[in-house]
Amino acid sequence: MNDKNYIIADEIVFEAKPDAVPYNYRISYKIAQLCLIMEMCSRGGCSLLKLHMISIGLSTKKDMEKLKDLAYDRLASYTVVRFDPAVNHAIRFAVAEGLIVQQLNGLYKLTKIGKFYVKNITKDKQLMKDEKRYLSSLSTMLTEEKIKDLTSLWRYSSAEN
């Protein structure tokens, strides 16, 4: 390299600027959201795919309605599932904090500490009230069996293409 490259590199200054993180990407929010999902939308635990689907379903009113239609068998196909890295990060943090565990069958479930955490969230009527209302209406209608059928459909339709 010539000396000119070093001179240019010396003139570049990087300054960290504080950026606001949207609430739905904050780890504390995602952990609370995932714990609520596990408490309100599962019987024996939640698969990673179910956690992603419901978490993304909570993003917009349109996503909420599509997921609810799928859960209540009013939608024949649900072709788009997005995977949010914030969900994966929140799961790792929740496991590290002892709020959730992954069972031998691969499903995630709340620990006693996690159930206590959710109990405190549900006590506060203003905290995450939209999420709680939606999850209550979704309840356990989006079963692991429906998700399994959906992923089987994707596999077969992708194999044809």
Side-chain angles (χ1 to χ4, degrees):
M1 297 194 137
N2 60 33
D3 290 333
K4 190 174 184 178
N5 287 339
Y6 291 114
I7 293 170
I8 291 172
D10 288 340
E11 294 173 6
I12 298 173
V13 177
F14 292 98
E15 292 181 17
K17 302 275 191 245
D19 290 330
V21 177
Y23 76 95
N24 56 331
Y25 287 111
R26 293 183 186 150
I27 293 298
S28 57
Y29 170 79
K30 276 296 177 194
I31 290 172
Q33 182 189 69
L34 294 175
C35 287
L36 278 173
I37 290 169
M38 284 181 241
E39 178 66 21
M40 300 176 79
C41 297
S42 72
R43 290 192 178 107
C46 283
S47 66
L48 181 61
L49 184 56
K50 184 174 183 175
L51 290 171
H52 274 280
M53 287 177 73
I54 296 175
S55 180
I56 291 297
L58 285 165
S59 299
T60 66
K61 292 199 183 296
K62 183 179 176 184
D63 288 334
M64 286 180 189
E65 287 307 312
K66 278 181 96 171
L67 188 61
K68 198 170 178 182
D69 286 344
L70 174 72
Y72 282 87
D73 297 320
R74 295 186 299 242
L75 186 66
S77 67
Y78 190 85
T79 56
V80 178
V81 173
R82 296 178 304 242
F83 293 93
D84 183 357
V87 170
N88 294 340
H89 293 304
I91 288 171
R92 283 196 299 258
F93 275 89
V95 167
E97 290 294 323
L99 298 169
I100 65 174
V101 293
Q102 188 174 23
Q103 303 172 105
L104 293 175
N105 63 3
L107 301 180
Y108 291 93
K109 75 172 195 171
L110 291 170
T111 63
K112 286 183 182 180
I113 298 168
K115 288 180 187 264
F116 180 73
Y117 179 64
V118 169
K119 189 176 181 181
N120 286 325
I121 293 171
T122 54
K123 274 186 203 176
D124 188 328
K125 301 299 179 201
Q126 294 302 309
L127 187 63
M128 301 180 81
K129 66 181 180 180
D130 293 334
E131 291 88 341
K132 289 186 280 193
R133 186 179 322 115
Y134 176 74
L135 293 173
S136 177
S137 71
L138 188 64
S139 186
T140 56
M141 295 303 296
L142 183 64
T143 63
E144 293 295 339
E145 191 63 34
K146 284 182 185 177
I147 293 170
K148 190 177 181 181
D149 291 344
L150 186 63
T151 56
S152 293
L153 180 68
W154 295 337
R155 284 188 187 111
Y156 293 124
S157 65
S158 294
E160 291 173 1
N161 296 334

